[in-house]
Amino acid sequence: MELLVYLAGEIHSSWRTQLKEQAQKQNLPLRFTGPMEDHQRSDHIGEEILGSQPNNVLKDEAASSINNLRTQILLSKSDVVIAYFGEQYKQWNSAMDAATAITLQKPVILIRDEKLHHPLKELANKAQLVVQTPEQALKALSYIFE
Amino acid sequence: MELLVYLAGEIHSSWRTQLKEQAQKQNLPLRFTGPMEDHQRSDHIGEEILGSQPNNVLKDEAASSINNLRTQILLSKSDVVIAYFGEQYKQWNSAMDAATAITLQKPVILIRDEKLHHPLKELANKAQLVVQTPEQALKALSYIFE
Amino acid sequence: MELLVYLAGEIHSSWRTQLKEQAQKQNLPLRFTGPMEDHQRSDHIGEEILGSQPNNVLKDEAASSINNLRTQILLSKSDVVIAYFGEQYKQWNSAMDAATAITLQKPVILIRDEKLHHPLKELANKAQLVVQTPEQALKALSYIFE
Amino acid sequence: MELLVYLAGEIHSSWRTQLKEQAQKQNLPLRFTGPMEDHQRSDHIGEEILGSQPNNVLKDEAASSINNLRTQILLSKSDVVIAYFGEQYKQWNSAMDAATAITLQKPVILIRDEKLHHPLKELANKAQLVVQTPEQALKALSYIFE
Amino acid sequence: MELLVYLAGEIHSSWRTQLKEQAQKQNLPLRFTGPMEDHQRSDHIGEEILGSQPNNVLKDEAASSINNLRTQILLSKSDVVIAYFGEQYKQWNSAMDAATAITLQKPVILIRDEKLHHPLKELANKAQLVVQTPEQALKALSYIFE
Amino acid sequence: MELLVYLAGEIHSSWRTQLKEQAQKQNLPLRFTGPMEDHQRSDHIGEEILGSQPNNVLKDEAASSINNLRTQILLSKSDVVIAYFGEQYKQWNSAMDAATAITLQKPVILIRDEKLHHPLKELANKAQLVVQTPEQALKALSYIFE
Amino acid sequence: MELLVYLAGEIHSSWRTQLKEQAQKQNLPLRFTGPMEDHQRSDHIGEEILGSQPNNVLKDEAASSINNLRTQILLSKSDVVIAYFGEQYKQWNSAMDAATAITLQKPVILIRDEKLHHPLKELANKAQLVVQTPEQALKALSYIFE
Amino acid sequence: MELLVYLAGEIHSSWRTQLKEQAQKQNLPLRFTGPMEDHQRSDHIGEEILGSQPNNVLKDEAASSINNLRTQILLSKSDVVIAYFGEQYKQWNSAMDAATAITLQKPVILIRDEKLHHPLKELANKAQLVVQTPEQALKALSYIFE
């Protein structure tokens, strides 16, 4: 039995790479998907596919329609979602991904530094598990196969 | 036919009061619910009901379990959700409320200043309507009864 | 027991008025909702609420986001949908409303002249009942209360 | 991870063939299904299987019951739907397929020439992505695998 | 709190009348709906509304599309279903109504003489309660209000 | 793409064998499941596993709990259901299986001799396709793969 | 807006009476339902309605089919569930009621003495709120109306 | 066709091992998952991954969030659930697992000694099958493949 894990959240650090490498080292039957991690490409994908847009709001709208297409397909196929919140950016899309998964009754593991707990408290309360590091998230997934 | 409207989002301005007053002036058959608007009370409700907690993370967890109880019940009864994003705070709970409603196939009207569009773009793309002011949101609801 | 009926489809004839008058004459416990019937207003509602748009596609997008808000709320509250297809216009929104209701397991009564049957055949096959006149649709609803 | 794509809509041009060939050239892990593309066969399949029918409406009803069987099975297995609207025909079955997928929370990519935007505006507003060419639709799907 | 009870099954005896009278005597807050009980009218309603049909199968199809419209609406509004199986007739529509309610997670009370148990055994196993008389069914509903 | 077909209904004729042989001859990617076809074994399976029961009703109840376990698992995995109604027996379990599938939005193909149409009319109206022979049902499934 | 509260769990103490009296004193718009609280009547209701049973297991089965009918109807209508676990009895039906509500996405408030936390830990983790006294549960509901 | 079986309930006896060995001997296409069977590890997994907790209730909460993550993922993938109730312990988590599966419309086979029937009667009434030994449960699953 293989599990499909959607890795939502922060795209400006290497947490996904570390998680994938550790999973591979431990031979865990996990496959990972997630959002476009190249921030520039994610912001420009709308104009890349649909052509130049009249203004920045419409450029954003074009990009988000394609980013959301990606997320909706990959999230709907996943068995579990890991969402990592960092200290920069608004990350409302990460909160949206986590809440969408929870409402679809898919379990969510939230990774955040304890400093961020206060603004995340309602989302943390809905998540199935809250941890501080990707290592802890992976240990929890590993436990499923013991 | 009366509609029940859940007013999610920013609790530090008077947008809810203005919206309710305008709805009443126009005799629109709308009833409004929403989160606890007293920030202090919302943060302390956990300890108020469950007693003193060992640390701040647990104080937050206690409060959020009661705030989420409130939100889950009121959101599940609502016909439409209006979510207002301001410029302060992380507002991850507002993003969670909006995404929860969307996933439950309840329509969401997003209110935000255009300055906030970029970080909100994925959520805006999923909302049924994006406006800049509470007046515009109310006009859209008023149109339903014409 | 009162039934809420959503009247989808053609907005350029008086079929809704006739249906409502006949229902009232027969004292049937039916309440009716439906789309904005003033074609001009329906096309301009986006710019009316959101302001002038850069081009016609965006004017349409603004209008449809508000028309769909109206439809989603009213359709989700309805017990049964009557969809009238006339000979003019593309009426893809009417087909969308009917298919949405069917997928939500709400029964649909389709009204169409037999001349239109061929292009409507797949939708007709999914509808619970296909008739030629509003009178027939009302007779079927009246039968529920006998 | 392979995605199953249902190709709804226009059957009188070669857009499906082009899309499949391009997907194959790029080695994208996509499998495609869709409606019967031979218009005559689609219209006659009812009588072919069930025998001669008393009139044209019943011939249509017989055909649509088998075409809808095909669509329901293939659509329910698909991960994403691409719907192409051309300038000919009523295409109410295409609108039905798209609306059905949207209501089942499957993402829809709409392909249409901008000339058709006005009558398609409500459906376009509900689709996850609106493009003008099959190439753009494929680019969006390709982006999911980057 | 009032309960809406759909009375499915046999239409050739007076069990519904007896049940309603007893419920009224006991002042139970129950409202009852059910199928058309006039067998002739139920068989002819298709031709009455849609006009003469080419043959008996099509006459049946016309009638059943209207009888099913009635059942779908009333069943979807009900809180509990009572299904009475008698010794005459095939009663496949009664089995369909009971199975539909069970699949929608609405509880079903089955009334049948013990002689009929063998052919009803799979449906009886899925029903929430199996009794022999309408009095027993009413006692069970009355128990809910104690 | 392979389809899983549940073959509900009559167990006293060889229609399943014929259907499977024809599907194999045509190399159709269909896999078939269905109920226990040995009538005696189906009636006795309760006592075989759970031991002797106090009376016939309880013997039936024991058997049906195991037959329904089988049906629930196999039906929930199927893509399409074929239900065959013969002239003997009450076949209320077959009507239950068909109605369960329809309510779960799985398409049902009904096979019945036209003589049986009248009592089957409500179920036939809900089925996606009604045919007279297993050959016709297989032709309809074959059409999906063209 | 009135909330319907199902009071699951322990039936051998007066916690429901106290809760209802306090709610009334505070004029909270709450209506309460719950299981049969007379233990003897709950155990005998099966034989009372269905007559004498062959043995104790079947007497239990008869009673539970009627108790579950009551619970399914009342739980499905409730907005929130309060489940009280005491120190006596196995209370597997209480755990079942709480888990059923949670799976239906209805919020559950768990009341238990801290001594019972260890065996309740998995259920507590799924509940929206865990408290020690009925007063605390009522305070949480009261907070919804502030 | 392979079935995935979740083995809920008692972890202090060897019933799972026996069941798996017998299934293998009979070459049944069954795969089994279940909870962590090492009681100590299950109780300590929270502190093992999340670190030392302030008190026993919080140690339990940490452990249950990870045990529930495991259960939610494995249960959601399973085709059928077997739940074994022994005579020791409160086993409220087992009752929760069984009720969760039933509400998700997954069939549950309950194994219990007849001595335990009275407190289990409501859960037994909801289960698809109640047996006394693992052998009987396996016979029922084996019957599906005949």
Side-chain angles (χ1 to χ4, degrees), chain F residues 54-97:
Chain F
N55 59 45
N56 273 344
V57 167
L58 291 165
K59 178 189 169 187
D60 279 351
E61 172 62 16
S64 64
S65 71
I66 296 167
N67 286 319
N68 280 348
L69 174 75
R70 177 182 176 133
T71 309
Q72 184 177 359
I73 290 174
L74 297 178
L75 203 60
S76 80
K77 295 182 91 72
S78 67
D79 298 304
V80 56
V81 170
I82 299 179
Y84 187 111
F85 283 79
E87 295 194 52
Q88 289 180 299
Y89 299 97
K90 293 286 191 183
Q91 303 174 89
W92 286 324
N93 56 343
S94 305
M96 178 179 85
D97 292 350

Side-chain angles (χ1 to χ4, degrees), chain C residues 39-55:
Chain C
H39 196 152
Q40 287 305 303
R41 187 150 167 69
S42 163
D43 278 0
H44 293 296
I45 186 65
E47 293 200 327
E48 181 186 322
I49 293 181
L50 299 172
S52 181
Q53 300 296 314
N55 59 44

